[in-house]
Amino acid sequence: MNKHPETLISRNLEKLLVSYEQHRGTNFIDERRLPEAVIIHRVMEDLLEILFPGSSGKREITSENLPYVIGDMLNQVRCALKDQILLAYKHECKIISCREETCEFNADKAVETLLDSLSDIRTILKTDVKAFYEGDPAASSPEEVVISYPGLKAMAIHRIAHILYQLKVPLIPRIMSEISHSQTGIDIHPGAVIGDGLMIDHGTGVVIGETTVIGRNVKIYQGVTLGALSFPRNACGSLIRDQKRHPTIEDNVTIFAHATILGNITIGENSLVGSNVWLKEDVPKNTMVLSEQPKMTFRSVRKEKTDI
Amino acid sequence: MNKHPETLISRNLEKLLVSYEQHRGTNFIDERRLPEAVIIHRVMEDLLEILFPGSSGKREITSENLPYVIGDMLNQVRCALKDQILLAYKHECKIISCREETCEFNADKAVETLLDSLSDIRTILKTDVKAFYEGDPAASSPEEVVISYPGLKAMAIHRIAHILYQLKVPLIPRIMSEISHSQTGIDIHPGAVIGDGLMIDHGTGVVIGETTVIGRNVKIYQGVTLGALSFPRNACGSLIRDQKRHPTIEDNVTIFAHATILGNITIGENSLVGSNVWLKEDVPKNTMVLSEQPKMTFRSVRKEKTDI
Amino acid sequence: MNKHPETLISRNLEKLLVSYEQHRGTNFIDERRLPEAVIIHRVMEDLLEILFPGSSGKREITSENLPYVIGDMLNQVRCALKDQILLAYKHECKIISCREETCEFNADKAVETLLDSLSDIRTILKTDVKAFYEGDPAASSPEEVVISYPGLKAMAIHRIAHILYQLKVPLIPRIMSEISHSQTGIDIHPGAVIGDGLMIDHGTGVVIGETTVIGRNVKIYQGVTLGALSFPRNACGSLIRDQKRHPTIEDNVTIFAHATILGNITIGENSLVGSNVWLKEDVPKNTMVLSEQPKMTFRSVRKEKTDI
């Protein structure tokens, strides 16, 4: 082991250089730089502060400094996000080549569209905050929801990422949604279409797939999956990627913990899906769906303590 | 798109300023500053190092430097936490106004009570560490539990947050528990009352609600929910917030993975709740509860490979 | 409460010093310093950049700078990781004492073995990336998988941690796997043996136990547990720690969301385990296992809206 370290390094450098040659697609060499998650993370935090001014507690916001603080942040977001989106488009150009100006144009357009949507996003998020506060007896104030509820954070990030997804910005929307997934345990694909006033309580383990459509005032609890049932493949056996394969959840539906709803089905308005229900069929409106409880056995545990 | 950037910024600044006017409750303007999650996060890491000196590996702790290092950290925690708690009280004053000194007094009292509890918390956490090591064959040493087990970290943070919850400190306990939730996937409301020697193994997806009561030497596995069954509302239709609505788990109970226990029911001492069991009724002591397994069908997969 | 702060600090310092005396095993005083999670985290990010050069977006990697950038990172990893592994061995020496040189020797050997494995790990990870892209209709490109899929990150970290686990490096492998667990919600014990081309989709709540063995081209969805059924104890009633107690999953098996597979059983090649299935028995190859759906009841919700 007491080899000279250089040997160890150079030996493995050689092997890796060969591997980089052989296994393209897992490295990004001579491509224009990729977007950087750390910077996108920072942009996201600025956007959250713009949406909920003062909520980070990082600085005091007053009527006097408000226009300057927010104006400054909007400028910072515009620059940093434009750079990242431009990197994403240019990276894609390596694949489907296009004129440089197109990337510039698209990046400017994406940032402008997002900034132009912020006040509308605020209006929608207000309905989300209301839904959390009115739906959770443990919420002591709407402020507590804004400051500490992971479900609300996931919705704020989703409503931003979804706009960039609609504009077909490469890579960035998914990077944003995975930042949210990592922090909240809630996995919402940026493609999902979600109406006003969604409450996701607790949230860990929730999965909402790409082509899911959710109406207004829907409630979802921890561990709920809105997923795909099967993945149709084309003649060549490769996946068909742009097809509605996830559920549609209509207005005022409540889905309790660990329910699994699979496939392109519809849960009608005002319906309730009970905890642990496993559904792959449509549910009419105004319907409560419960699984018949499996019979339970009760016996003494004396000797079997360590056995399940 | 080649608009002058100022236009984009000023246009959206205007829209946002209007939105801040219209949608109060999602912004915190002209209120005294809010507590800052990043600082509370740092305080929490200091508290964990005080509880488990040396565990972060950030510096070596010796018999010689121990009193100075810990004394210094206690002082830092006292100052930083006092500031944050004061911000939380003052923010609340904006709502239910009170005399400034009351905030000061309460903040000092909260910090003092927490610091006075640290050695007792250590004694309890020792029982938690023991429970993890004795309960998990994959644990190679108690040290490994302290250094790397998310379930233990969640318990340490909960035992701290619960003390501030009991003192009715606003916002901070929930911010602490959500820091833990984000890092561990374990969602324990700071209100939950938890006895010595709780083991939460793996932990991701565990939800323990606000009014849950857990006895001594309880074991809980991943995905277990101790939740509320329904939310009673008052005459005006708004939620009744301070009512026992979550389970009571007595001493020596084990709850296996993904079991869901809902409502203000009691699981008697020494009982076992099997994996995936869904319970909304009391369980007597010394009882093993298992769900009858749903019949399973086994068929060849030849053609249906991509189908579920 | 207006006590002089010194009193508060000194009083609690005294109590804590007593507690450190009484409750050893939860503190690390006069032991050589422990490994530091923050540094291991940084090493892990460097290793991920070496495995997927350019993927972090932190800097542009070109054919020209590639050998220098990677060579430099290899050197940094070698030094930082050697220090951390040495700390881990030395800490263990406090328990099972050994000659200092042995720690040095083992630390060098561990780092060398890991670096010598990196190009092979890359080859395997290439198969993982392929599995994700071909298995998930929402994946828009292999690049998106590398940059944003938590399941791939969990596999990259596991394949590194597993090598150190095989070398019996103390503490570090588990610290690495818990960094991954915290970021991805996927809990893979570093001891698990996992073949090429594993896809873990969504991933939150997945638990893969220490003695699990997984073949090639296996697909696992969110919330799946590959766990132990019971923990045999020796005559003295303490756990037997090194025994195969988790499942063996053969080639080309797919396990759908929230399935729970417990005990040292075998799922034969090409088999499918349906969503929510709860298994503690062997499954022959080419078999699809589904739970018979519990009967479901549908009723009107008119009055019972808030009830589950």
Side-chain angles (χ1 to χ4, degrees), chain A residues 49-64 66-67 70-71 74-75 78 105 108-109 111-112 115-119 122-123 125-126 129 133-139 141-144 146-150 182-184 202 204 221-222 229-231 233 257-258 262 275-276 278 280 293-302 304-305 307-308, chain B residues 1 3 5-6 8-9 11-13 15-17 19-38 91 95 171 174-175 178 181-182 185 187 189 204-205 207 210 223 225 229 231 233 239-241 245 252 254 256 258 260 262 270-272 274-279 281-284 286-292 294 306-308:
Chain A
E49 184 74 1
I50 290 169
L51 290 170
F52 303 119
S55 60
S56 74
K58 277 183 195 134
R59 58 177 298 177
E60 187 155 19
I61 304 218
T62 66
S63 325
E64 290 66 36
L66 182 66
I70 301 301
L74 283 169
N75 253 311
R78 184 180 59 77
F105 178 90
D108 281 324
K109 180 163 172 307
V111 172
E112 177 167 23
L115 294 191
D116 282 339
S117 316
L118 286 176
S119 55
R122 248 183 74 78
T123 310
L125 286 171
K126 179 69 182 283
V129 172
Y133 181 63
E134 292 179 354
D136 178 12
S141 68
E143 283 78 5
E144 189 181 66
V146 174
I147 293 164
S148 62
Y149 273 46
S182 174
Q183 291 182 6
T184 67
H202 307 300
T204 306
Y221 289 84
Q222 68 273 19
L229 185 55
S230 68
F231 306 148
R233 291 165 187 277
H258 304 296
L262 299 175
S275 179
N276 285 357
W278 193 87
K280 44 185 209 171
Q293 280 315 304
K295 210 182 292 102
M296 282 191 287
T297 61
F298 296 69
R299 49 191 168 105
S300 156
V301 287
R302 296 269 168 267
E304 16 198 1
K305 199 92 185 60
D307 226 347
I308 186 171
Chain B
M1 296 310 114
K3 288 206 198 72
E6 274 59 39
L8 172 60
I9 300 304
R11 177 175 76 231
N12 284 291
L13 180 55
K15 285 161 59 183
L16 283 163
L17 293 174
S19 166
Y20 297 147
E21 267 314 307
Q22 290 173 342
H23 302 296
R24 304 212 149 280
T26 51
N27 42 277
F28 307 90
I29 298 160
D30 294 332
E31 309 192 4
R32 298 191 190 81
R33 217 171 82 247
L34 285 168
E36 184 172 354
V38 175
H91 172 74
I95 305 154
L171 299 171
R174 186 63 185 263
I175 290 172
E178 289 300 341
H181 184 188
S182 174
D187 181 355
H189 192 286
T204 305
V207 172
E210 180 175 22
T225 293
L229 187 54
F231 306 148
R233 292 167 186 276
L239 291 167
I240 302 168
R241 291 186 189 271
R245 58 192 187 281
N252 310 313
T254 298
F256 287 101
H258 304 295
T260 301
L262 299 175
N270 310 319
S271 288
L272 290 154
S275 180
N276 284 357
V277 166
W278 195 87
L279 265 178
E281 61 194 290
D282 291 332
V283 171
N286 303 315
T287 307
M288 172 187 296
V289 186
L290 299 177
S291 293
E292 188 183 66
T306 65
D307 227 346
I308 186 172

Side-chain angles (χ1 to χ4, degrees), chain B residues 99-114:
Chain B
R99 278 164 40 265
E100 181 82 12
E101 315 78 70
T102 323
C103 292
E104 282 283 339
F105 178 90
N106 289 339
D108 281 325
K109 180 160 171 309
V111 172
E112 177 168 24
T113 310
L114 178 60

Side-chain angles (χ1 to χ4, degrees), chain C residues 18-80:
Chain C
V18 172
S19 164
Y20 298 147
E21 266 316 307
Q22 290 172 342
H23 302 295
R24 304 210 148 282
T26 52
N27 41 280
F28 307 90
I29 298 161
D30 294 334
E31 310 190 3
R32 299 194 189 81
R33 216 171 85 247
L34 284 168
E36 184 173 353
V38 176
I39 293 175
I40 293 167
H41 193 162
R42 210 172 303 129
V43 167
M44 187 58 72
E45 294 196 330
D46 287 345
L47 283 166
L48 294 175
E49 183 75 0
I50 290 168
L51 289 169
F52 303 118
S55 61
S56 75
K58 278 181 195 137
R59 59 176 298 178
E60 187 156 19
I61 305 218
T62 65
S63 325
E64 290 66 37
N65 69 20
L66 182 66
Y68 307 101
V69 175
I70 300 301
D72 177 39
M73 294 183 92
L74 283 169
N75 252 311
Q76 288 180 38
V77 166
R78 183 180 61 77
C79 301

